[in-house]
Amino acid sequence: MSSWVALRRRIAFQKGQRIAILGATGNAGRMAIQIAKRFGASQVIAVGRDTTRFKELLALGADQAVAFDEIGAAAADVDVVLDFVWGAPAAESMLPILTARADRSVPLDWVQIGSLAGASAPIPSAALRSARLRIVGSGIGSVPSRDFIAELPELAAAVTDGSLDVQARPVPLADIAKVWDEQTSECLVFVP
């Protein structure tokens, strides 16, 4: 839901735009690849640390899967960055992307959604001055609850009809203590 709402409600995403997804190897990133393609992204660059998952990301629709140290050349001319990582990796990715852009006057929407690598990112001031970079957050607060609710029927239909590959496992709420620290690639859904 996070990437769905970000692309629909936080920026003016248009069919044919190019997207880089930071943290694409996680569950939210996997979903973001599928959602970006569903919404008409012409190119999706999946960026992650776990290179063993890159083949899976390509199968989900990513056009390219790269490690963070390859981001500059790969994502130079994207229109949107969906950032599930934040922290130092996001800050360290900005300048390579911005300095590699063919035309720095073309807007780049950087949408901060998650903070797996840290709650703050030391953004270099040059990133803000050297290109048309717009950083926005997406989540409850920046998007009204009514907008989340408005997107639910279409998103639920895409999940229900199998259009989106969701790796989720229902867990009884009574078992929360048993699975809380579990290392899994699945999304755990707690059910009352």
Side-chain angles (χ1 to χ4, degrees), residues 28-185:
R30 290 178 74 259
M31 291 294 294
I33 292 167
Q34 298 170 76
I35 290 166
K37 284 297 190 171
R38 180 182 186 90
F39 290 171
S42 64
Q43 184 180 28
V44 174
I45 294 112
V47 183
R49 291 180 301 167
D50 187 352
T51 58
T52 64
R53 293 187 176 185
F54 284 3
K55 187 181 276 188
E56 176 189 355
L57 302 180
L58 297 170
L60 288 171
D63 297 286
Q64 191 175 1
V66 299
F68 278 91
D69 62 352
E70 302 170 297
I71 197 167
D77 292 314
V78 298
D79 302 292
V80 176
V81 173
L82 295 179
D83 182 357
F84 294 95
V85 180
W86 202 238
E92 292 164 4
S93 296
M94 281 183 193
L95 280 182
I97 290 173
L98 294 173
T99 57
R101 290 175 80 72
D103 183 354
R104 293 184 193 179
S105 68
V106 174
L108 171 60
D109 285 323
W110 194 290
V111 186
Q112 193 281 320
I113 301 172
S115 54
L116 292 172
S120 60
I123 300 167
S125 61
L128 301 174
R129 294 189 312 267
S130 66
R132 287 188 61 193
L133 173 64
R134 183 175 85 144
I135 302 171
V136 300
S138 184
I140 297 173
S142 66
V143 178
S145 298
R146 69 181 171 275
D147 289 355
F148 276 96
I149 292 167
E151 295 297 336
L152 279 175
E154 189 178 346
L155 174 60
V159 171
T160 303
D161 72 16
S163 298
L164 297 176
D165 177 21
V166 180
Q167 290 185 348
R169 175 171 41 116
V171 176
L173 191 55
D175 293 341
I176 194 168
K178 293 178 190 171
V179 298
W180 188 257
D181 292 324
E182 184 178 314
Q183 296 293 325
T184 180
S185 62

